[in-house]
Amino acid sequence: MDPVSFARRPQTLLRVASWVFSIAVFGPIVNEGYVNADSGPELRCVFNGNAGACRFGVALGLGAFLACAGFLLLDVRFQQISSVRDRRRAVLLDLGFSGLWSFLWFVGFCFLTNQWQRTAPGPGTAQAGDAARAAITFSFFSILSWVALTVKALQRFRLGTDMSLFATEQLGAGAGQTYPGYPVGSGVEGTETYQSPPFTETLDTSPKGVPCSSCNFFTIKTVNEFTVTFPLLPL
């Protein structure tokens, strides 16, 4: 596989973009997403003090980071998969995971935005405001990239299904193809088609190549089971 052509594929570019967006989401939350509380030295989440919001953002970004790396490796080795069933499973896995993560990114974006709007201003909030806004912004970008990946996976699945159906129809047409009958006006139309042999076989109970004891002809059956009769000359 040509690395340059692989790197220029839209699906590869989308995976790299999603990989970068995931780092831009969980990285700021891990580094600056926890600030000192006003009442004590303990740390609290910058998103309205809701630790679940920070954990959800980190888990979502980290999962997307690992998934993008895994699917990039799968795309590299996809052409080496010889089994059609395994290729179908790989495409279905990509389609299902991309659709699920698109939905989770939408939920995460709405959740983080709602918690940030409810956050009361303070000295710690002002310091971590850039990190919170960066996580929300790249969560929105992640929705777009993962929806695009879902569309690309759906196109691959439909393309593979259409090609399989086309191949099946072609094989079926070749196996069950029939030939037309005699033309109208030939005097023999409407009787038979070429589905059966055009000649009828003459049944004979005598052994092959052996003359009948009570008849005056000699019969021979060929390889195609056709009977050829030769008259016996008197001695």
PDB file of all heavy atoms in Angstrom, residues 66-85:
ATOM      1  N   LEU A  66      -7.953   6.314  21.858  1.00  0.00           N
ATOM      2  CA  LEU A  66      -7.580   4.917  21.642  1.00  0.00           C
ATOM      3  C   LEU A  66      -8.297   4.313  20.442  1.00  0.00           C
ATOM      4  O   LEU A  66      -7.721   3.518  19.689  1.00  0.00           O
ATOM      5  CB  LEU A  66      -7.888   4.110  22.912  1.00  0.00           C
ATOM      6  CG  LEU A  66      -7.114   4.513  24.166  1.00  0.00           C
ATOM      7  CD1 LEU A  66      -7.588   3.698  25.366  1.00  0.00           C
ATOM      8  CD2 LEU A  66      -5.622   4.343  23.967  1.00  0.00           C
ATOM      9  N   ALA A  67      -9.559   4.693  20.260  1.00  0.00           N
ATOM     10  CA  ALA A  67     -10.315   4.141  19.133  1.00  0.00           C
ATOM     11  C   ALA A  67      -9.742   4.613  17.803  1.00  0.00           C
ATOM     12  O   ALA A  67      -9.653   3.832  16.844  1.00  0.00           O
ATOM     13  CB  ALA A  67     -11.779   4.544  19.256  1.00  0.00           C
ATOM     14  N   CYS A  68      -9.372   5.881  17.713  1.00  0.00           N
ATOM     15  CA  CYS A  68      -8.791   6.382  16.457  1.00  0.00           C
ATOM     16  C   CYS A  68      -7.493   5.662  16.123  1.00  0.00           C
ATOM     17  O   CYS A  68      -7.240   5.311  14.968  1.00  0.00           O
ATOM     18  CB  CYS A  68      -8.555   7.881  16.567  1.00  0.00           C
ATOM     19  SG  CYS A  68     -10.060   8.877  16.545  1.00  0.00           S
ATOM     20  N   ALA A  69      -6.666   5.413  17.135  1.00  0.00           N
ATOM     21  CA  ALA A  69      -5.417   4.682  16.894  1.00  0.00           C
ATOM     22  C   ALA A  69      -5.702   3.253  16.438  1.00  0.00           C
ATOM     23  O   ALA A  69      -5.058   2.739  15.508  1.00  0.00           O
ATOM     24  CB  ALA A  69      -4.567   4.684  18.159  1.00  0.00           C
ATOM     25  N   GLY A  70      -6.677   2.603  17.075  1.00  0.00           N
ATOM     26  CA  GLY A  70      -7.002   1.236  16.694  1.00  0.00           C
ATOM     27  C   GLY A  70      -7.600   1.139  15.300  1.00  0.00           C
ATOM     28  O   GLY A  70      -7.237   0.248  14.512  1.00  0.00           O
ATOM     29  N   PHE A  71      -8.490   2.048  14.949  1.00  0.00           N
ATOM     30  CA  PHE A  71      -9.106   2.000  13.623  1.00  0.00           C
ATOM     31  C   PHE A  71      -8.126   2.420  12.530  1.00  0.00           C
ATOM     32  O   PHE A  71      -8.258   1.969  11.382  1.00  0.00           O
ATOM     33  CB  PHE A  71     -10.345   2.892  13.590  1.00  0.00           C
ATOM     34  CG  PHE A  71     -11.557   2.241  14.208  1.00  0.00           C
ATOM     35  CD1 PHE A  71     -12.112   2.744  15.370  1.00  0.00           C
ATOM     36  CD2 PHE A  71     -12.135   1.124  13.637  1.00  0.00           C
ATOM     37  CE1 PHE A  71     -13.220   2.151  15.950  1.00  0.00           C
ATOM     38  CE2 PHE A  71     -13.250   0.520  14.202  1.00  0.00           C
ATOM     39  CZ  PHE A  71     -13.790   1.033  15.369  1.00  0.00           C
ATOM     40  N   LEU A  72      -7.166   3.262  12.854  1.00  0.00           N
ATOM     41  CA  LEU A  72      -6.121   3.559  11.873  1.00  0.00           C
ATOM     42  C   LEU A  72      -5.296   2.315  11.556  1.00  0.00           C
ATOM     43  O   LEU A  72      -4.958   2.046  10.391  1.00  0.00           O
ATOM     44  CB  LEU A  72      -5.216   4.673  12.399  1.00  0.00           C
ATOM     45  CG  LEU A  72      -5.642   6.113  12.112  1.00  0.00           C
ATOM     46  CD1 LEU A  72      -4.698   7.092  12.796  1.00  0.00           C
ATOM     47  CD2 LEU A  72      -5.675   6.374  10.608  1.00  0.00           C
ATOM     48  N   LEU A  73      -4.971   1.561  12.577  1.00  0.00           N
ATOM     49  CA  LEU A  73      -4.255   0.302  12.358  1.00  0.00           C
ATOM     50  C   LEU A  73      -5.103  -0.683  11.570  1.00  0.00           C
ATOM     51  O   LEU A  73      -4.598  -1.411  10.709  1.00  0.00           O
ATOM     52  CB  LEU A  73      -3.845  -0.296  13.709  1.00  0.00           C
ATOM     53  CG  LEU A  73      -3.067  -1.612  13.671  1.00  0.00           C
ATOM     54  CD1 LEU A  73      -1.759  -1.441  12.914  1.00  0.00           C
ATOM     55  CD2 LEU A  73      -2.803  -2.126  15.081  1.00  0.00           C
ATOM     56  N   LEU A  74      -6.413  -0.709  11.846  1.00  0.00           N
ATOM     57  CA  LEU A  74      -7.306  -1.588  11.096  1.00  0.00           C
ATOM     58  C   LEU A  74      -7.393  -1.175   9.635  1.00  0.00           C
ATOM     59  O   LEU A  74      -7.438  -2.035   8.745  1.00  0.00           O
ATOM     60  CB  LEU A  74      -8.693  -1.576  11.740  1.00  0.00           C
ATOM     61  CG  LEU A  74      -9.763  -2.460  11.080  1.00  0.00           C
ATOM     62  CD1 LEU A  74      -9.357  -3.924  11.125  1.00  0.00           C
ATOM     63  CD2 LEU A  74     -11.109  -2.263  11.767  1.00  0.00           C
ATOM     64  N   ASP A  75      -7.409   0.125   9.359  1.00  0.00           N
ATOM     65  CA  ASP A  75      -7.431   0.590   7.969  1.00  0.00           C
ATOM     66  C   ASP A  75      -6.160   0.196   7.219  1.00  0.00           C
ATOM     67  O   ASP A  75      -6.207  -0.117   6.026  1.00  0.00           O
ATOM     68  CB  ASP A  75      -7.599   2.105   7.939  1.00  0.00           C
ATOM     69  CG  ASP A  75      -8.977   2.549   8.409  1.00  0.00           C
ATOM     70  OD1 ASP A  75      -9.901   1.714   8.397  1.00  0.00           O
ATOM     71  OD2 ASP A  75      -9.116   3.724   8.794  1.00  0.00           O
ATOM     72  N   VAL A  76      -5.031   0.208   7.920  1.00  0.00           N
ATOM     73  CA  VAL A  76      -3.773  -0.188   7.278  1.00  0.00           C
ATOM     74  C   VAL A  76      -3.792  -1.663   6.903  1.00  0.00           C
ATOM     75  O   VAL A  76      -3.345  -2.055   5.812  1.00  0.00           O
ATOM     76  CB  VAL A  76      -2.587   0.130   8.203  1.00  0.00           C
ATOM     77  CG1 VAL A  76      -1.294  -0.449   7.650  1.00  0.00           C
ATOM     78  CG2 VAL A  76      -2.446   1.630   8.396  1.00  0.00           C
ATOM     79  N   ARG A  77      -4.338  -2.493   7.762  1.00  0.00           N
ATOM     80  CA  ARG A  77      -4.347  -3.942   7.533  1.00  0.00           C
ATOM     81  C   ARG A  77      -5.629  -4.431   6.866  1.00  0.00           C
ATOM     82  O   ARG A  77      -5.815  -5.647   6.710  1.00  0.00           O
ATOM     83  CB  ARG A  77      -4.166  -4.672   8.864  1.00  0.00           C
ATOM     84  CG  ARG A  77      -2.874  -4.336   9.590  1.00  0.00           C
ATOM     85  CD  ARG A  77      -2.753  -5.124  10.884  1.00  0.00           C
ATOM     86  NE  ARG A  77      -2.793  -6.550  10.650  1.00  0.00           N
ATOM     87  CZ  ARG A  77      -1.732  -7.302  10.376  1.00  0.00           C
ATOM     88  NH1 ARG A  77      -0.531  -6.732  10.303  1.00  0.00           N
ATOM     89  NH2 ARG A  77      -1.840  -8.595  10.171  1.00  0.00           N
ATOM     90  N   PHE A  78      -6.507  -3.523   6.457  1.00  0.00           N
ATOM     91  CA  PHE A  78      -7.799  -3.948   5.907  1.00  0.00           C
ATOM     92  C   PHE A  78      -7.629  -4.697   4.590  1.00  0.00           C
ATOM     93  O   PHE A  78      -8.338  -5.670   4.331  1.00  0.00           O
ATOM     94  CB  PHE A  78      -8.699  -2.719   5.712  1.00  0.00           C
ATOM     95  CG  PHE A  78     -10.100  -3.061   5.294  1.00  0.00           C
ATOM     96  CD1 PHE A  78     -11.027  -3.483   6.223  1.00  0.00           C
ATOM     97  CD2 PHE A  78     -10.488  -2.960   3.963  1.00  0.00           C
ATOM     98  CE1 PHE A  78     -12.318  -3.798   5.845  1.00  0.00           C
ATOM     99  CE2 PHE A  78     -11.780  -3.280   3.580  1.00  0.00           C
ATOM    100  CZ  PHE A  78     -12.697  -3.695   4.527  1.00  0.00           C
ATOM    101  N   GLN A  79      -6.707  -4.236   3.737  1.00  0.00           N
ATOM    102  CA  GLN A  79      -6.504  -4.898   2.455  1.00  0.00           C
ATOM    103  C   GLN A  79      -5.901  -6.285   2.600  1.00  0.00           C
ATOM    104  O   GLN A  79      -5.971  -7.088   1.671  1.00  0.00           O
ATOM    105  CB  GLN A  79      -5.605  -4.038   1.559  1.00  0.00           C
ATOM    106  CG  GLN A  79      -6.183  -2.670   1.240  1.00  0.00           C
ATOM    107  CD  GLN A  79      -7.475  -2.751   0.461  1.00  0.00           C
ATOM    108  OE1 GLN A  79      -7.693  -3.717  -0.289  1.00  0.00           O
ATOM    109  NE2 GLN A  79      -8.334  -1.763   0.603  1.00  0.00           N
ATOM    110  N   GLN A  80      -5.307  -6.579   3.751  1.00  0.00           N
ATOM    111  CA  GLN A  80      -4.716  -7.895   3.973  1.00  0.00           C
ATOM    112  C   GLN A  80      -5.725  -8.906   4.504  1.00  0.00           C
ATOM    113  O   GLN A  80      -5.379 -10.076   4.656  1.00  0.00           O
ATOM    114  CB  GLN A  80      -3.543  -7.768   4.946  1.00  0.00           C
ATOM    115  CG  GLN A  80      -2.449  -6.843   4.474  1.00  0.00           C
ATOM    116  CD  GLN A  80      -1.329  -6.692   5.481  1.00  0.00           C
ATOM    117  OE1 GLN A  80      -1.331  -7.343   6.518  1.00  0.00           O
ATOM    118  NE2 GLN A  80      -0.378  -5.817   5.188  1.00  0.00           N
ATOM    119  N   ILE A  81      -6.922  -8.469   4.815  1.00  0.00           N
ATOM    120  CA  ILE A  81      -7.964  -9.381   5.298  1.00  0.00           C
ATOM    121  C   ILE A  81      -8.571 -10.076   4.087  1.00  0.00           C
ATOM    122  O   ILE A  81      -9.187  -9.442   3.235  1.00  0.00           O
ATOM    123  CB  ILE A  81      -9.036  -8.615   6.097  1.00  0.00           C
ATOM    124  CG1 ILE A  81      -8.403  -7.897   7.284  1.00  0.00           C
ATOM    125  CG2 ILE A  81     -10.112  -9.574   6.576  1.00  0.00           C
ATOM    126  CD1 ILE A  81      -9.386  -7.056   8.068  1.00  0.00           C
ATOM    127  N   SER A  82      -8.385 -11.372   3.997  1.00  0.00           N
ATOM    128  CA  SER A  82      -8.861 -12.124   2.834  1.00  0.00           C
ATOM    129  C   SER A  82     -10.308 -12.580   2.973  1.00  0.00           C
ATOM    130  O   SER A  82     -10.992 -12.773   1.975  1.00  0.00           O
ATOM    131  CB  SER A  82      -7.962 -13.346   2.604  1.00  0.00           C
ATOM    132  OG  SER A  82      -7.957 -14.181   3.758  1.00  0.00           O
ATOM    133  N   SER A  83     -10.783 -12.752   4.184  1.00  0.00           N
ATOM    134  CA  SER A  83     -12.140 -13.246   4.394  1.00  0.00           C
ATOM    135  C   SER A  83     -13.150 -12.120   4.210  1.00  0.00           C
ATOM    136  O   SER A  83     -13.004 -11.034   4.782  1.00  0.00           O
ATOM    137  CB  SER A  83     -12.270 -13.841   5.803  1.00  0.00           C
ATOM    138  OG  SER A  83     -13.609 -14.223   6.066  1.00  0.00           O
ATOM    139  N   VAL A  84     -14.185 -12.376   3.405  1.00  0.00           N
ATOM    140  CA  VAL A  84     -15.234 -11.386   3.193  1.00  0.00           C
ATOM    141  C   VAL A  84     -16.030 -11.170   4.479  1.00  0.00           C
ATOM    142  O   VAL A  84     -16.449 -10.053   4.791  1.00  0.00           O
ATOM    143  CB  VAL A  84     -16.152 -11.832   2.043  1.00  0.00           C
ATOM    144  CG1 VAL A  84     -17.294 -10.850   1.840  1.00  0.00           C
ATOM    145  CG2 VAL A  84     -15.354 -11.995   0.765  1.00  0.00           C
ATOM    146  N   ARG A  85     -16.223 -12.236   5.245  1.00  0.00           N
ATOM    147  CA  ARG A  85     -16.967 -12.111   6.505  1.00  0.00           C
ATOM    148  C   ARG A  85     -16.216 -11.246   7.503  1.00  0.00           C
ATOM    149  O   ARG A  85     -16.821 -10.415   8.196  1.00  0.00           O
ATOM    150  CB  ARG A  85     -17.212 -13.508   7.090  1.00  0.00           C
ATOM    151  CG  ARG A  85     -17.995 -13.505   8.390  1.00  0.00           C
ATOM    152  CD  ARG A  85     -18.262 -14.919   8.861  1.00  0.00           C
ATOM    153  NE  ARG A  85     -19.040 -15.663   7.885  1.00  0.00           N
ATOM    154  CZ  ARG A  85     -19.386 -16.946   8.027  1.00  0.00           C
ATOM    155  NH1 ARG A  85     -18.992 -17.609   9.102  1.00  0.00           N
ATOM    156  NH2 ARG A  85     -20.094 -17.538   7.106  1.00  0.00           N
TER     157      ARG A  85
END
